[in-house]
Amino acid sequence: GTCNLIKHIENCALFGVPVVVGVNRFKTDTDAELQIVIDAARAAGAADVVICTHHADGGAGAKQLAEAVIAACQQPSQPHLLYPDELSLEEKIRLVAKQVYGATDIELSPLVVTKLAQYDQLGYGKFPICMAKTPLSFSHDPTKKGRPTDFILPVRDIRVSVGAGFVYPLCGNIMTIPGLSIRPGFFDMDVDDDGRIVGLS
């Protein structure tokens, strides 16, 4: 419900930027229901809240949202990062876990502790972090909906993308997908003259 929306608005505000909320209106939604969402978003600090119907009306249904985003971009703001590069990787993880997700703390596996020391020795300690966790919850547990509190965020592994210049902690049971090769496979996929799909193997 609205507690999840409010947390998202608060998270965006952590970075010093105005927030515009787009609310999808479906034909089963009542004005009273939409007003609850609008009021909650405004109370949480949203710069604007716009009812949208682009799923039904195409681009015309998102015109007001686009105008609201343009207006928000023209407001004075002071965007900033959540942490300085000099903060240790462990503290960066802890900061994101506590401030963005609402965790009480983090729990690092022995593997992560070892890797953090290695990354620091190799000069990766100033890299930013990109947390890998379920998108279904602010916590690591996809069944914890809304705005979970009083949880410890378990970090079971951590990896570094040296070329891209960031470190990504793996939280809970999240899995990562392999990156694309120089030539992605979809270039070789097609449908032949008989309607058969080719290039999948």
Side-chain angles (χ1 to χ4, degrees), residues 18-101:
V19 180
V20 175
V21 175
V23 182
N24 291 330
R25 177 175 201 140
F26 297 98
K27 64 181 182 180
T28 55
D29 294 335
T30 66
D31 289 341
E33 290 170 329
L34 293 170
Q35 195 61 51
I36 290 170
V37 177
I38 291 168
D39 292 345
R42 287 197 173 130
D48 203 350
V49 185
V50 181
I51 303 298
C52 307
T53 59
H54 49 281
H55 61 279
D57 301 323
K63 184 174 183 236
Q64 283 185 299
L65 176 61
E67 291 167 348
V69 170
I70 290 169
C73 290
Q74 293 169 343
Q75 291 180 18
S77 63
Q78 295 184 340
H80 55 268
L81 300 176
L82 193 60
Y83 50 75
D85 291 343
E86 294 72 30
L87 201 64
S88 72
L89 290 172
E90 180 176 346
E91 286 308 311
K92 289 172 185 172
I93 297 167
R94 181 171 282 110
L95 192 69
V96 171
K98 292 173 105 172
Q99 289 195 20
V100 177
Y101 302 144

